Amino acid sequence: MQKKRWRVSMFALVAALALAMSIAACGGDDDDSGGGGGGGGDGGGGGGSIALLLPETKTARYESQDRPNFERKVGELCSDCEILYSNADQDPAKQQQQAEAAITKGAKVLVLDPVDAASAGAIVNRAKQSQIPVISYDRLITDADIDYYISFDNERVGKLQGDALVSKLDEDGAKGDIVMINGAPTDNNAKLFKEGAHSVIDDSSFKVAKEYDTPDWSPDKAQQEMEQAITASGKDGFVGVYAANDGTAGGAIAAMKSAGIDPATRPTTGQDAELAAVQRILAGEQYMTVYKAIIPEAEAAA
């Protein structure tokens, strides 16, 4: 049974790899006067400074993947470009201060992964006042005049998660409800993941017993939400868990284990292929994850 579980999980992960290579990038104009390009891949010059503003550290990918791969590629393209790096630690006010500081230091372009998709529009407006182009990285800055948007097909990510969960439950002959642990309500990607997952789950035989939007994508808050769902529905009141990413999956699984529920009996989704999640998959505690190829996303932004 364990062998079969791993085979299905690997299929979901590999299918997600095919998705992840389809990165969407849309530009508002072709004006390259903002600097930071240069070089044409030969390590040439061009100068200038680039602000890389990432949203948080609770999701492992930003510090371990996005930042180093972006910095490496910029270094290849423009050896004398300076990167002004900041992480907002999930605080939109802090991110706005970091953006203002980068502009004051002379940043020629902002690469912004917003904490709050809506309030980050103020950062874009401030940059536009100084004629600084803005790249919306990974998460879309909504209702703002951004120059470029680099991301994955996030609705399809949710569909992959939902399809994997429903297929597994159907294969097991499960009957009952699902708990949904979504991402941060301030993140437009979380909205798209949820929409994609619902498009599959809502057309299945399974109903959503409890659903939560998880502030800050916090694993601790996801654990609390799952505890609430178990209290409300009972230990036998659900047959599977849609978790929007590996952090929330880890929180949900911790809550199940604490309640005496074997997580192997309640398939749980994930996303990002974090090391801890892959280890949980190998141990049979998490059913699947979605691997998104962050290197080409970071390189496209660079």
Side-chain angles (χ1 to χ4, degrees):
M1 188 65 182
Q2 178 64 31
K3 184 177 180 181
K4 187 174 186 180
R5 172 183 294 277
W6 175 238
R7 185 177 70 247
V8 175
S9 300
M10 278 299 293
F11 174 79
L13 193 150
V14 173
L17 175 59
L19 141 80
M21 300 306 291
S22 176
I23 298 177
C26 52
D29 55 48
D30 295 323
D31 181 9
D32 291 329
S33 61
D42 60 0
S49 56
I50 302 164
L52 175 63
L53 307 170
L54 296 183
E56 44 106 342
T57 57
K58 289 185 178 180
T59 304
R61 57 167 283 189
Y62 292 115
E63 294 292 333
S64 66
Q65 293 290 325
D66 296 86
R67 177 187 179 183
N69 284 300
F70 179 84
E71 291 177 339
R72 173 187 52 77
K73 189 62 177 180
V74 169
E76 292 175 2
L77 296 170
C78 181
S79 58
D80 57 349
C81 283
E82 178 187 8
I83 296 177
L84 306 174
Y85 174 69
S86 298
N87 191 298
D89 296 317
Q90 205 62 51
D91 184 342
K94 182 177 181 179
Q95 188 166 66
Q96 188 153 355
Q97 293 168 358
Q98 291 170 339
E100 185 65 44
I103 293 170
T104 301
K105 290 178 181 178
K108 301 300 183 182
V109 62
L110 303 186
V111 180
L112 174 60
D113 193 338
V115 174
D116 186 316
S119 67
I123 297 176
V124 178
N125 292 337
R126 172 64 183 89
K128 292 296 180 180
Q129 291 172 4
S130 299
Q131 297 183 320
I132 299 171
V134 178
I135 297 173
S136 183
Y137 179 71
D138 195 61
R139 303 176 181 179
L140 178 64
I141 304 166
T142 55
D143 299 321
D145 184 22
I146 57 174
D147 294 88
Y148 293 91
Y149 172 44
I150 310 288
S151 192
F152 299 95
D153 185 341
N154 295 303
E155 187 171 347
R156 191 177 172 202
V157 171
K159 287 181 179 179
L160 278 170
Q161 293 171 311
D163 185 62
L165 179 59
V166 168
S167 296
K168 174 59 176 171
L169 293 174
D170 283 340
E171 177 186 315
D172 291 346
K175 304 292 183 183
D177 296 333
I178 291 172
V179 174
M180 291 191 72
I181 308 290
N182 302 309
T186 54
D187 180 356
N188 189 68
N189 283 0
K191 172 188 173 185
L192 297 175
F193 301 145
K194 179 164 60 173
E195 288 176 354
H198 265 294
S199 71
V200 177
I201 294 170
D202 293 351
D203 286 338
S204 74
S205 61
F206 303 98
K207 304 300 181 183
V208 177
K210 293 291 179 180
E211 181 169 5
Y212 305 89
D213 293 329
T214 309
D216 304 340
W217 287 96
S218 169
D220 292 340
K221 292 173 182 175
Q223 183 171 347
Q224 294 170 5
E225 291 164 350
M226 193 67 217
E227 289 169 352
Q228 293 171 16
I230 294 170
T231 299
S233 303
K235 293 182 180 181
D236 298 320
F238 65 100
V239 293
V241 179
Y242 168 82
N245 76 344
D246 290 335
T248 54
I253 289 168
M256 285 188 274
K257 293 170 74 173
S258 179
I261 299 170
D262 180 1
T265 65
R266 314 295 165 92
T268 301
T269 65
Q271 175 188 174
D272 291 330
E274 292 183 359
L275 176 59
V278 175
Q279 291 171 335
R280 287 194 297 267
I281 290 173
L282 286 167
E285 294 180 346
Q286 182 171 323
Y287 177 61
M288 61 82 72
T289 190
V290 178
Y291 170 70
K292 298 187 300 186
I294 297 170
I295 291 177
E297 182 185 30
E299 291 184 342

